[in-house]
Amino acid sequence: MDDRIAPPRLKYRLVIFDFDGTLADSFPFFQSVYNGLADKHGLKRIEGDQVALMRSMGTREIMRYIGMPAWKMPVVAKSFIGLMSENAASIALFGGVADALLALADAGVELAVVSSNSEQNVHRVLGPGLSSLFSHFECGMSVFGKASRIRKVVRQSQVGAGEALYVGDQGTDAEAATKAGLAFGAVAWGYAPPEVLRAHGPADEFGSVQAMLAALLVAPAPAGSALD
C-alpha cells in the first residue's frame, strides 16, 4: 500500500477576494473616521447602537439611511481611501489570512483581488510578500461596479467561470458574483452578518478563515488506499 499523501484537490482554480472586511480588518478604522466624513460631506452621523442596525442593511439601504445620494458616493469613497492611505500601517489583515493565502498559492490556486479600495492601499496592507501571490488586482471601482471587473479577471485568467469563486462580506459582493456568473463565498467575519449574506444564496459559507481554507483545499485520501 502506498501511503503517500496526494496534493490537495482544488475546489476552485481561481479565487477572487474582496478586500475590506474580507482580507483586511478595516471596519474599526472606518468607524473611527466615519463621523468626520459625515460632517465633511453632509451625511448623517452614526452613534452607538446604530452601527449594529446598519450592519443588517444592504448598501442601498445604508445610503438612504445616512442621506448619501449616488452622485456623492465616489466623493465620499475618495475621502475615505485617502484617509486609509495615510493610516494603512494601522490596518491589519484578519487573523489567519496570511497563512491561508500562502497555502492557497502553494496549492496552485490563482489569486486575485477585486475591491473598491485603491490598489495602493491593498498593496500597503498586504505587504510586498503577500501581494506577490496575486495575479490580478482590479481596484478603485464603485461597489456597484465589481461585476465587470470580476469578469475581466476571469477572462484574463483563462479559467472557466465554473472554476472560479468570488469571496466577500457584503450583499453587493454577492450581487456582483451572480451578475458575473461566478459562485459566491460568504465570510462570517466581515461587515454583514451571516444571516444577511445567507439571503443571497451563497455557494459557500465560511465561518472562519481556517474553515475557508479547509473548504477550498479538499484533502484527498492517501494514495493507494482505495480498492482497485
Side-chain angles (χ1 to χ4, degrees):
M1 178 181 293
D2 186 349
D3 60 357
R4 290 175 298 175
I5 303 299
R9 179 171 59 83
L10 305 183
K11 189 170 183 179
Y12 300 97
R13 290 175 56 201
L14 169 66
V15 178
I16 308 171
F17 290 97
D18 169 52
F19 185 68
D20 293 290
T22 301
L23 298 179
D25 187 11
S26 51
F27 185 66
F29 173 73
F30 175 76
Q31 283 185 283
S32 73
V33 301
Y34 171 77
N35 281 340
L37 290 172
D39 293 342
K40 179 179 179 179
H41 295 286
L43 307 176
K44 179 180 178 179
R45 292 172 64 92
I46 301 299
E47 308 293 349
D49 58 2
Q50 291 175 314
V51 174
L53 172 64
M54 290 177 63
R55 292 187 71 174
S56 67
M57 297 179 180
T59 301
R60 294 170 184 84
E61 290 179 281
I62 293 171
M63 291 171 66
R64 288 192 293 270
Y65 185 78
I66 64 176
M68 181 167 67
W71 66 264
K72 191 177 283 190
M73 191 174 191
V75 180
V76 178
K78 183 178 180 180
S79 292
F80 171 71
I81 289 170
L83 289 171
M84 188 170 172
S85 179
E86 296 169 6
N87 295 274
S90 68
I91 297 168
L93 300 174
F94 286 102
V97 160
D99 288 340
L101 294 175
L102 287 164
L104 289 169
D106 187 59
V109 178
E110 187 171 0
L111 304 178
V113 168
V114 171
S115 170
S116 56
N117 210 323
S118 70
E119 184 171 343
Q120 180 184 53
N121 283 348
V122 173
H123 280 291
R124 283 182 174 179
V125 176
L126 284 174
L130 293 178
S131 292
S132 70
L133 303 178
F134 289 82
S135 300
H136 307 275
F137 291 89
E138 289 292 330
C139 302
M141 78 296 295
S142 161
V143 294
F144 301 116
K146 291 183 176 181
S148 63
R149 301 296 189 93
I150 293 171
R151 284 193 292 264
K152 180 180 177 182
V153 169
V154 173
R155 184 172 62 251
Q156 292 179 341
S157 299
Q158 298 183 327
V159 170
E163 298 177 291
L165 178 73
Y166 185 54
V167 180
D169 71 313
Q170 296 193 63
T172 48
D173 296 325
E175 292 169 4
T178 299
K179 190 173 180 180
L182 266 66
F184 175 62
V187 304
W189 55 84
Y191 180 82
E195 58 271 19
V196 171
L197 295 176
R198 199 168 291 136
H200 292 272
D204 295 277
E205 295 183 40
F206 306 125
S208 67
V209 175
Q210 292 73 23
M212 177 183 71
L213 182 61
L216 296 180
L217 298 183
V218 182
S225 61
L227 294 176
D228 293 331

